[in-house]
Amino acid sequence: MTNVEKSLKKFYSNVIRLAKKNLKRLGKNASGTLGKSLKGKVKTSKSGNSFQADLFMEYYGLFIDKGVKGVGGQKVDGSQWKKKRVTNSDYSYDKKRPPASAFDKWSIRKGIAPRSKGGQFQKRRSINFAIANSVYHTGLETTNFLTQPFEKEFKNLPDEIVEAAGWDVEEMMKFNLKSSEKQYDNIKKSR
């Protein structure tokens, strides 16, 4: 194993460890799936002259990290929806709402089971629709659960590696996130 490969493996190991810690601290890993999906992969050519470094995670991790802008608007009661803080994200719910079914298992894990005025449990489908509607209007707040450890650990990479690859933190982060998007697209296409 070359020094480049060792350095990059250590880099990814630290990024993933810190990202998992952030997910737990922020309460954003309800099922544990996102944390378990974080993986770093480093490949060095046989000659040792080139290498490839990728970071993988569940696709929705991009939205948890970067945030998604909500549409805002007016509630039925006439008050305004309060949008969540989203910084530096291209993602938005401008036309398409998140599917209510995406919140089914999440609402169960979180113990969300509202009751009517008479004390009866409300239907799960109604609860999930209300959550999806709220997310559509308010968005998802930026967490930077992955971006912050990535930027922190990038500073610790040996200068020779960064210079040899001609990277800056923005380029490397974009490349890694695109790898995650491609992985997701490939999974979707194979279904």
Side-chain angles (χ1 to χ4, degrees):
M1 187 182 307
T2 66
N3 287 337
V4 170
E5 199 170 354
K6 284 179 189 172
S7 294
L8 288 171
K9 283 188 178 191
K10 182 179 176 190
F11 167 77
Y12 280 127
S13 175
N14 289 340
V15 168
I16 290 167
R17 180 180 50 77
L18 293 170
K20 285 180 178 180
K21 211 177 201 181
N22 285 343
L23 283 172
K24 187 175 182 175
R25 179 179 54 81
L26 296 165
K28 299 290 183 183
N29 202 18
S31 68
T33 303
L34 182 55
K36 288 176 191 168
S37 74
L38 286 163
K39 305 237 183 307
K41 188 174 176 185
V42 178
K43 282 193 241 174
T44 308
S45 66
K46 290 180 183 178
S47 65
N49 293 336
S50 65
F51 57 90
Q52 180 177 344
D54 296 312
L55 180 66
F56 299 100
M57 69 177 161
E58 288 287 333
Y59 185 64
Y60 67 87
L62 296 171
F63 306 128
I64 302 291
D65 184 59
K66 295 291 183 190
V68 182
K69 296 172 190 158
V71 296
Q74 194 171 23
K75 295 181 183 179
V76 175
D77 67 3
S79 62
Q80 295 293 314
W81 286 97
K82 185 178 180 196
K83 292 186 191 180
K84 296 198 174 144
R85 183 186 65 84
V86 178
T87 56
N88 205 19
S89 177
D90 295 332
Y91 304 118
S92 66
Y93 290 117
D94 54 353
K95 295 180 180 116
K96 213 171 177 191
R97 294 174 185 265
S101 61
F103 298 98
D104 193 42
K105 290 179 183 175
W106 179 86
S107 64
I108 292 168
R109 278 191 191 89
K110 292 291 187 176
I112 299 172
R115 296 176 184 249
S116 67
K117 289 180 183 176
Q120 296 89 1
F121 283 108
Q122 292 181 340
K123 292 184 180 179
R124 176 110 5 240
R125 194 177 316 164
S126 301
I127 295 164
N128 294 337
F129 178 79
I131 293 168
N133 192 45
S134 175
V135 169
Y136 173 70
H137 287 285
T138 62
L140 296 174
E141 187 171 18
T142 300
T143 64
N144 288 323
F145 82 90
L146 179 63
T147 301
Q148 285 175 343
F150 196 97
E151 290 174 349
K152 178 182 180 248
E153 291 302 316
F154 188 83
K155 292 175 186 171
N156 297 331
L157 274 175
D159 291 338
E160 309 83 62
I161 294 174
V162 176
E163 288 170 18
W167 286 329
D168 68 16
V169 72
E170 289 294 319
E171 288 175 21
M172 190 171 176
M173 188 74 179
K174 283 178 185 172
F175 174 79
N176 276 282
L177 292 176
K178 286 206 184 334
S179 292
S180 226
E181 287 178 22
K182 283 180 188 172
Q183 178 189 27
Y184 178 77
D185 288 343
N186 289 338
I187 291 168
K188 272 181 34 181
K189 287 175 187 171
S190 67
R191 288 184 182 170

